[in-house]
Amino acid sequence: MATGNQSNLCSICNKPSAKYLCIGCKKCFCAKDFNEHEQQLSIKFDNEVVRSHNELLDQIRKLERSNSLSLDLFEQIEQWKNTTINKVEKAAEKAQHELTELIDKQRIAIIKQFESITREIRYRREEENFVDNDIDELKQKLEQFTQKDTTKTIIVTNNQID
């Protein structure tokens, strides 16, 4: 049976002479174990906090010393940017040129188709060689021509730059 108060027992040696309370871990200690506990906390502080702080400080100092290296990297990045911009501009010019050619080909094809209908209309008008069916047929050709979707879809198959 315990004769002393359990809360006054040292958390290390279990002696009833615990007079010190650590406000961090809320444990009671005798004078000897309390001093040892403080030493362990001091070692832990140095090993975990001060060491990490010093390592970060060293890294910051290395960054300050490596400023010339970072200037070289910035210059390389700027060169890469300019090279990339030039490639994109050339690719855009090439795409615009190809699109212009495609539009011109499409326009020429439409004009040829329309000229064919125009010749037929002129011929029938000059010769007065038409009947009701001819009028309906020509009207239908003109409607089909105007209803034709002359816009084309351009599909980008990759994002690569030649």
Side-chain angles (χ1 to χ4, degrees):
M1 188 178 222
T3 57
N5 187 351
Q6 292 291 332
S7 63
N8 288 339
L9 291 178
C10 176
S11 63
I12 301 293
C13 67
N14 288 326
K15 292 181 182 176
S17 58
K19 295 180 184 176
Y20 301 95
L21 173 68
C22 176
I23 60 171
C25 65
K26 307 287 188 230
K27 293 181 181 177
C28 293
F29 298 95
C30 65
K32 174 186 161 250
D33 290 332
F34 186 72
N35 288 336
E36 190 175 308
H37 180 65
E38 282 184 320
Q39 288 175 354
Q40 289 173 352
L41 287 176
S42 179
I43 291 169
K44 185 176 181 180
F45 184 81
D46 287 345
N47 287 341
E48 294 179 13
V49 176
V50 174
R51 191 181 92 240
S52 293
H53 173 267
N54 289 340
E55 288 173 358
L56 285 172
L57 186 60
D58 285 346
Q59 289 178 0
I60 290 170
R61 287 181 181 150
K62 285 179 184 177
L63 285 174
E64 289 172 349
R65 281 185 248 132
S66 68
N67 195 23
S68 64
L69 173 63
S70 63
L71 291 177
D72 290 343
L73 292 174
F74 280 110
E75 185 177 323
Q76 289 176 11
I77 291 170
E78 189 66 25
Q79 288 175 352
W80 168 80
K81 180 184 86 170
N82 291 334
T83 301
T84 303
I85 288 170
N86 288 336
K87 287 180 181 180
V88 169
E89 286 174 346
K90 287 178 183 177
E93 288 172 9
K94 180 180 175 186
Q96 289 170 339
H97 177 73
E98 290 174 0
L99 179 60
T100 301
E101 287 180 350
L102 183 66
I103 291 170
D104 287 345
K105 286 179 184 177
Q106 183 70 24
R107 184 180 47 80
I108 290 169
I110 289 170
I111 289 171
K112 284 182 180 178
Q113 289 173 356
F114 192 72
E115 284 175 350
S116 171
I117 294 171
T118 303
R119 281 193 301 272
E120 187 174 350
I121 290 171
R122 283 184 185 154
Y123 168 76
R124 295 206 183 264
R125 183 69 163 153
E126 289 171 3
E127 299 294 321
E128 292 188 15
N129 182 15
F130 53 88
V131 291
D132 293 338
N133 290 345
D134 294 332
I135 293 172
D136 291 340
E137 181 182 323
L138 287 169
K139 188 176 176 183
Q140 186 179 10
K141 283 183 180 180
L142 288 171
E143 285 176 8
Q144 286 175 349
F145 194 82
T146 57
Q147 291 175 358
K148 230 184 220 183
D149 184 13
T150 56
T151 60
K152 298 289 181 187
T153 302
I154 298 174
I155 299 172
V156 177
T157 56
N158 65 31
N159 290 329
Q160 303 267 329
I161 299 174
D162 293 334

